[in-house]
Amino acid sequence: MDTGMKDFCFGVDVGGTTVKIGLFRIDGQLVDSFEIPTRKEEKGRYVLGDIADALTKKMQEKDIEKERVAGVGIGVPGPVLDDGTVNICVNIGWGVINVANELGALTGLPVKVGNDATVAALGEMWQGGGKGHDSMVLFTLGTGVGGGIILNGKPVNGSHGAGGEIGHIPVVMDETETCTCGKKGCLEQVASATGIVKEAKKILAKSGEPSALRTYENLSAKDIFDEAKTGDKLAQEAVEILGKYLGIAMADVAGVVDPEVFVIGGGVSKAGQYLIDAIEKNYRHYVFHASRDAKITLATLGNDAGMYGAAKLVIEK
């Protein structure tokens, strides 16, 4: 997108509860950020109009003429095709909708669209944990497992908009439970915050060993990592399962895209270096030798990554 003679752009991250919006200078400096509610009623018909209104108000507030704005980048929770068409966003209620055209018509600005996880990866590469690299893979470990792939500075969307669906790489061949996607054995089932709790409960049920994990009424991923760090053997076993399957999945991904760096984000990443260590030893063991030296590091932008990455969609050279 041509940014010549332009000073500003917007980065928009559409979530199921709120829409995060950032006003950026073209050099990447964040000028202002704010949120609006995601109005999902009537199949999300108000979302784009609300975003357009919010952008107009912000330009008026900052006394910025439309001619000075290069465009709007927007990340959405669903598969995105190259022409800006979103192929069903269940969390918002959208069916098939060309967000680029519709938001462009509402704002009078050029619009670039990306999948939210892919856009978050772009943000981390630009100003976060992947800064200084141009080929990286983001793993987001939260309630589920998401991902984004950036190669040579460009997001990989895939021919069906499903590039970076890392959470649904099959890794557990004997899994009997069904994933939210309908398959069995997905990475998400063992490496998400809910996955590690599920695995820890299995370990506790099979073992008679004492463990501090038995004292928690509502066991969480944070509890498991906290106890593992203090030396609780069963907690360490649960972390090892997560580290093993993440290491395998990352080795699989490396065999296809061979990134310079893997960036780990999401709520589970708050476990810090302990998590990185659990993943890294398994990754180094399973990966093809040529990709063994890929860096593994933590995300740094937190919930702002999508906003930064959406802005980068507009400013990418």
Side-chain angles (χ1 to χ4, degrees), residues 262-316:
F262 288 95
V263 177
I264 312 297
V268 176
S269 71
K270 291 177 183 175
Q273 190 59 41
Y274 191 88
L275 169 66
I276 298 295
D277 292 344
I279 298 168
E280 194 162 31
K281 65 181 181 182
N282 286 287
Y283 172 75
R284 308 289 180 217
H285 174 75
Y286 287 107
V287 75
F288 181 64
H289 65 85
S291 301
R292 193 170 287 140
D293 292 334
K295 184 179 178 184
I296 303 174
T297 190
L298 294 167
T300 61
L301 294 178
N303 291 332
D304 290 343
M307 194 173 66
Y308 274 87
K312 181 60 174 166
L313 286 176
V314 179
I315 358 182
E316 68 175 319

Side-chain angles (χ1 to χ4, degrees), residues 186-197:
C186 293
L187 178 66
E188 184 170 293
Q189 292 181 268
V190 286
S192 61
T194 47
I196 190 174
V197 170

Side-chain angles (χ1 to χ4, degrees), residues 100-167:
N101 290 348
E102 296 210 13
L103 187 58
L106 290 167
T107 61
L109 293 167
V111 175
K112 298 287 282 289
V113 191
N115 168 264
D116 56 354
T118 303
V119 165
L122 193 60
E124 285 290 344
M125 190 198 72
W126 183 36
Q127 299 287 2
K131 192 170 184 176
H133 303 280
D134 67 359
S135 291
M136 64 157 275
V137 177
L138 174 70
F139 277 66
T140 55
L141 314 179
T143 306
V145 174
I149 301 169
I150 312 294
L151 292 181
N152 301 319
K154 305 286 186 185
V156 175
N157 295 319
S159 57
H160 304 96
E165 286 290 352
I166 289 164

